[in-house]
Amino acid sequence: LALVFAAYAIAATIAGVKADRAPLLVSARRAVYLVAGLMLLTSVSLLASFVIHDFGAAYVYQHSSLAMPWYYTTTAFYSGQEGSLLYWATTLAVFAALAVVTARQGAGVLGPVVGAVLMGIEGFLLLVLNFISSPFNRIAIAPIDGLGLNPLLQDPGMIVHPPMLLLGYMSFSVPFAYAVAALITGQLDAGWLRDIRRWMLASWGIQTIGLLLGMWWAYHVLGWGGYWGWDPVENAALLPWLTATAFLHSSMVQERRGALKVWNLALVLITFALCVFGTFEVRSGLISSVHSFAYSSVGSAYLIFLTVVILGACALFAYRLPRLRPDQEFESVVSREGSFLLNNFVLTGITFATLWGTLFPLLSQAAEGKQQTVGAVFYEQVNGPLFAVLIFLMGVGPLLAWRRASWRAFWRHVRWPLLIALVTAGALPLLGAHDLWADLGFALCAFTASTVGYEFWRGVRVRHRHGEGYAQALIMLVNRHRRRYGGYVVHLGLIVLAVGAIGSHFFQVTREATLRPGQSVSTAGYILTYNGVIDTVENNVEKIRGHFTLVTPQGQRREVAAGQQIFPNFPDQPTSLISITTSALTDLYVFVSVFNDDGSVGIRVFANPLVPLVWLGGGLMLLGGLLCWWPERLRIVALSAASAVPEREAVPA
């Protein structure tokens, strides 16, 4: 039924727009709402099958069992290929309804076409669910019990990471629909940009949450001591985030100066294409990854869909290209818009390098007949310098004026942040940081952090001179200019995250040892003493834990445990119970690799400095994104009058 009404919504929109018949457009809009309701009903049906343990449903049988607690039973809904596709289609239907509602409330000729484009994407997913990969296939004779969920997925991270990442992928469909609708209708003025920006911010924020949760999950489950391994599926999730970030910067240039229209539309289309590519990669089974599904015909369907998206977008783009001339040309590279353009070049460079490394196994297979892979070293050597340039541009950009910057004014603003960076670079070796590249990275972070702080200080100082206290001035400053200062908070969060990544990458200390009860191992000032092993059964899960006494460099004494857990139906797939103890911004990460018959254990111990800053920085980025997304009352009033004056005059500085 959902497939039928999605097709009807598309047909009614086309007929209504061509014949200029409002009742048809109203009917199409109601069909979008109906598709959302039907998809919610479908998802509730599958969820109910899990809750009542209906093992006659093949998907329920494959991904759940009677031994699983209720929270893993319900999250098994999106653990497999069919369920995750249903989750995607359902959330897309809901977002399509929201997009139609908001477009109806605004003045938008784009609204009906946006709904039709989203129903086109929904229709593809429904074709796959109905005819290729249905979660409702039945088994002739219902088994008494199910196989159970993959042990790696029976973790709290399963409850939050997959749905957020899938939601992030899906949500980029709405900006894509607006871009395609603008190209179809020819409504390429600033209206589509204002409509699309908040949707893109929301999608960016959701994808950021998904990426951070994935990093956290990998850190505390996989046992390798890190949180980002440049796995192909990790890369696929990062790619649309990079291009969306580029769009959020370059869209400000179009809004302010009427430039980069072609570039911004291209970024929106590329972002969605990268989302489709990511799902194709995960579901095709062509690239080996711990996150991938097995090979299936779904991958072929996504490849066809990706081809249609790319060819269709290129055709529309070429058709409307003559109408995408910039309102104004760049006057100087040394300007705010020049820094945004360079920022975009760097972000797209990182995107291309990451995509190349991800596709290299397939390219080598096609060229040489054997599959070769690139490791983390490739990404670090290529993307590391690019990220350093990006951080530098984040510091320089806010200090430059629009149109053309004065070198004298620029030097007046940059001299103190530059001095702080130089002092940082000189002081770090004296504090024990003797790695040149790490010190340069920390110095760059100090430079950019100080420029962000300087921008806040300048705004607060002006308001303070007009009679406001410093705290009140800061609150009012951010409240009145949320997009600007929310962006600064995002930059500050990325800097904090970068400091954590630099520290944990360059200064990680690793130690392997085999310990008998009573023996100790020392790592980076931590002393870990093995006390023995305890074997328990909790909720039908066998947990074998080695117990240790940990003494931190500060002299604190703690009892920690690390080991393995064995789930019913998966005796040969034990998962890790990892101990992570945080002390003075350093994580001591204990992983038990083997329990020996003589009572000894093999362990790997990692001292990971500054890792807590990774999570703190991610939280700041999300806070800044929320500030940018939150509507500004003054801006809403100004934009409501945009139809009466030229766009560049209507948008406040």
Side-chain angles (χ1 to χ4, degrees), residues 336 396-401 409-410 412-414 450-466 470 473-474 477 484-485 488:
R336 182 76 62 88
V396 170
L399 304 179
L400 295 172
F410 175 68
R412 186 171 66 251
H413 296 318
V414 81
S450 59
T451 61
V452 171
Y454 178 65
E455 285 297 294
F456 273 98
W457 166 246
R458 282 205 300 169
V460 168
R461 184 176 58 183
V462 169
R463 299 191 70 92
H464 178 69
R465 287 175 178 173
H466 288 79
Y470 285 109
L474 177 62
L477 181 73
R484 179 179 180 182
Y485 289 97
Y488 289 157

Side-chain angles (χ1 to χ4, degrees), residues 13 79 82 123 210 309 379 438 458 618:
T13 300
S79 63
E82 297 89 344
V309 166
Y379 297 103
R458 282 205 300 169

Side-chain angles (χ1 to χ4, degrees), residues 121 172-173 176 268-277 305 309:
I121 303 171
F172 286 115
S173 303
F176 170 78
V268 176
L269 300 176
I270 289 170
T271 298
F272 180 72
L274 288 172
C275 290
V276 179
F277 164 76
F305 182 62
V309 166

Side-chain angles (χ1 to χ4, degrees), residues 224-307:
W224 58 286
Y227 44 81
W228 188 269
W230 296 104
D231 177 89
V233 177
E234 291 176 343
N235 296 346
L238 178 65
L239 292 173
W241 185 90
L242 291 169
T243 52
T245 304
F247 169 81
L248 291 173
H249 286 81
S250 61
S251 63
M252 288 189 282
V253 178
Q254 182 177 344
E255 184 178 348
R256 183 69 179 256
R257 304 280 294 147
L260 301 182
K261 294 180 179 179
V262 172
W263 181 246
N264 284 326
L265 269 170
L267 283 175
V268 176
L269 300 176
I270 289 170
T271 298
F272 180 72
L274 288 172
C275 290
V276 179
F277 164 76
T279 54
F280 160 71
E281 178 189 338
V282 173
R283 299 174 192 282
S284 66
L286 295 178
I287 297 178
S288 177
S289 167
V290 70
H291 306 85
S292 296
F293 296 103
Y295 176 80
S296 75
S297 55
V298 172
S300 301
Y302 264 96
L303 181 59
I304 295 171
F305 182 62
L306 177 61
T307 303

